[in-house]
Amino acid sequence: MARIVTGVKPTGDLHLGHLVGLLEPAVSLAQSADEVFYFIADYHALTSQHDPHQLEQHVRSIAVGFLAAGVDPNRIVLFRQSAVPEHTELAWILGTLTPMGLLERAHAYKDARAHRREVNAGVFTYPVLMAADILIYRGEVVPVGRDQLQHLEMARDIAKKFNHTYGATFPLPQARVEEGERAAVIGIDGRKMSKSYRNTIPLLADRATIEAAVRRIVTRSIPQGQPLPTEGDTILHLMHVVDPERAAALERAYQSGAVGYAQAKQQLVDAIEDRLRPFRLRAQQLLESPETVDTILQEGGKRARRIATETMAEVRRKVGLAVPARMRK
Ligand code: ADP
Ligand code: TRP
């Protein structure tokens, strides 16, 4: 039994990689936890987007994604990060303990420097806010994708530094990464499925969109009736991710030459449709009832803020800042 915390940045629509790599594992992990905090990292999203309307839309789509993937708001505290401004306050304090050198080594920051014309200070301090997100709930287990492991290492380093300076306060958070193919779902161009590569299978797409995406998977030209190579094949990989049983059958058909790429793609579209249908039905109901989603987020925000305020009272006292009466119990 442990306290679990994770966040998803609202910077685009959810895709198949999010569902199998993060949302579903986070939901099943929550079943054996004491306290679970899942949030939509809207403060973090501001490091890369400044369109308020779009931000609002993405926040809603992530909230719907969490709920449609099975988050039970009675058991899991689901909220927007910005409903709890204490995250940014803790981030400030943690920032005063974080060496510049640690942040300069961050892959995401180095990548931004290499590819963006202007890198804002938020990109640089991103890992400090992320550490605050976790530590403010004394998170112990953090389900994330593989690309977040370095951020988790940094959160541990920052927690250690705080504990060393001010006395034991925060548990050291552990990353929990899905194993195997689901940890890194491949997109239709053969690279990691990511909204930045425009190679995704969107979770709310209709059949025509899924068909169009699957059609774009590049295949070789191999005469009908010949075996197809299985190694590094994107169709097989995606089939495995959505339906391992059908993937095993398809793999046999590849080896015997019983299937061509066009049929394999058709089978994949059917399998994705079957896999996403229940998710999409739940998501559609939620999209038609935005007040339900808003109420869940507001309630979650209140619950999260109570706990965050308690942590901040202790942190303020330990570091020697004012502890206003409203924060004292
Ligand atoms: P994207 O790469 O599409 O921008 P994010 O960086 O917002 O996705 O990822 C949100 C979470 O979902 C992270 O924990 C990430 O590791 C996980 N995730 C994203 N893409 C995939 C994928 N293709 N396979 C597995 N997990 C993924
Ligand atoms: N950085 C994470 C991502 O890009 C999102 C995130 C923000 C997060 N705060 C977090 C994840 C705290 C886990 C815990 O996916």
Side-chain angles (χ1 to χ4, degrees):
M1 292 299 228
R3 267 188 310 276
I4 304 187
V5 179
T6 199
V8 177
K9 230 177 353 168
T11 48
D13 289 325
L14 291 169
H15 56 67
L16 186 64
H18 293 133
L19 183 70
V20 304
L22 182 76
L23 298 174
E24 288 180 345
V27 167
S28 64
L29 189 63
Q31 276 157 6
S32 60
D34 291 326
E35 282 178 287
V36 189
F37 299 89
Y38 290 164
F39 62 90
I40 302 157
D42 48 3
Y43 283 133
H44 276 110
L46 293 179
T47 60
S48 62
Q49 68 174 31
H50 296 113
D51 176 340
H53 178 66
Q54 217 178 42
L55 180 61
E56 196 62 43
Q57 268 183 340
H58 289 154
V59 166
R60 182 167 302 282
S61 111
I62 307 279
V64 165
F66 265 122
L67 292 165
V71 160
D72 170 1
N74 296 315
R75 289 209 53 244
I76 295 173
V77 186
L78 182 68
F79 62 105
R80 288 176 77 151
Q81 186 186 26
S82 61
V84 190
E86 286 75 12
H87 287 224
T88 61
E89 189 195 349
L90 181 58
W92 170 259
I93 295 170
L94 297 178
T96 65
L97 293 163
T98 307
M100 294 280 285
L102 182 79
L103 300 180
E104 277 160 2
R105 285 194 293 277
H107 303 314
Y109 168 65
K110 287 201 268 190
D111 196 57
R113 295 242 349 217
H115 295 106
R116 289 199 214 166
R117 214 158 23 94
E118 190 183 280
V119 180
N120 62 59
V123 171
F124 187 63
T125 56
Y126 186 109
V128 183
L129 179 57
M130 183 157 158
D133 295 338
I134 301 166
L135 301 182
I136 205 158
Y137 303 107
R138 300 175 209 270
E140 294 162 299
V141 177
V142 185
V144 281
R146 228 174 256 156
D147 54 347
Q148 295 297 315
L149 285 177
Q150 191 193 30
H151 285 152
L152 255 294
E153 249 344 283
M154 292 179 164
R156 289 169 68 86
D157 286 347
I158 295 171
K160 275 187 210 154
K161 191 74 182 283
F162 188 98
N163 291 345
H164 181 74
T165 311
Y166 295 113
T169 307
F170 298 120
L172 302 185
Q174 295 267 3
R176 176 74 58 90
V177 178
E178 262 303 88
E179 310 237 308
E181 307 193 273
R182 305 171 133 246
V185 176
I186 302 298
I188 52 180
D189 61 354
R191 293 187 287 173
K192 173 194 168 264
M193 187 178 289
S194 168
K195 54 189 170 271
S196 358
Y197 298 152
R198 300 175 186 282
N199 63 356
T200 66
I201 310 262
L203 289 181
L204 297 180
D206 55 15
R207 188 180 176 98
T209 313
I210 295 173
E211 262 173 354
V214 168
R215 226 178 291 127
R216 276 172 53 210
I217 297 174
V218 177
T219 51
R220 302 185 216 178
S221 96
I222 294 178
Q224 193 73 24
Q226 298 268 326
L228 307 178
T230 55
E231 195 65 27
D233 183 87
T234 303
I235 302 174
L236 272 183
H237 164 84
L238 287 172
M239 190 65 124
H240 214 270
V241 164
V242 293
D243 188 337
E245 265 176 42
R246 279 200 242 185
L250 183 60
E251 188 163 348
R252 285 193 295 275
Y254 263 52
Q255 285 158 344
S256 67
V259 70
Y261 285 122
Q263 290 156 290
K265 284 184 175 179
Q266 208 48 53
Q267 289 186 24
L268 177 61
V269 171
D270 291 339
I272 294 175
E273 274 281 293
D274 291 345
R275 179 70 149 79
L276 294 188
R277 197 170 297 116
F279 174 90
R280 216 153 51 199
L281 275 176
R282 284 193 297 270
Q284 251 134 23
Q285 283 165 357
L286 290 159
L287 286 169
E288 281 162 21
S289 163
E291 327 72 53
T292 312
V293 178
D294 287 346
T295 309
I296 290 171
L297 291 179
Q298 274 160 19
E299 287 304 311
K302 282 190 216 151
R303 280 163 74 188
R305 193 160 188 202
R306 268 198 300 278
I307 293 161
T309 307
E310 275 172 33
T311 308
M312 281 320 295
E314 181 182 340
V315 168
R316 280 172 168 252
R317 185 174 51 73
K318 284 189 165 156
V319 305
L321 292 172
V323 185
R326 66 169 176 85
M327 291 179 94
R328 292 193 213 120
K329 274 215 266 186

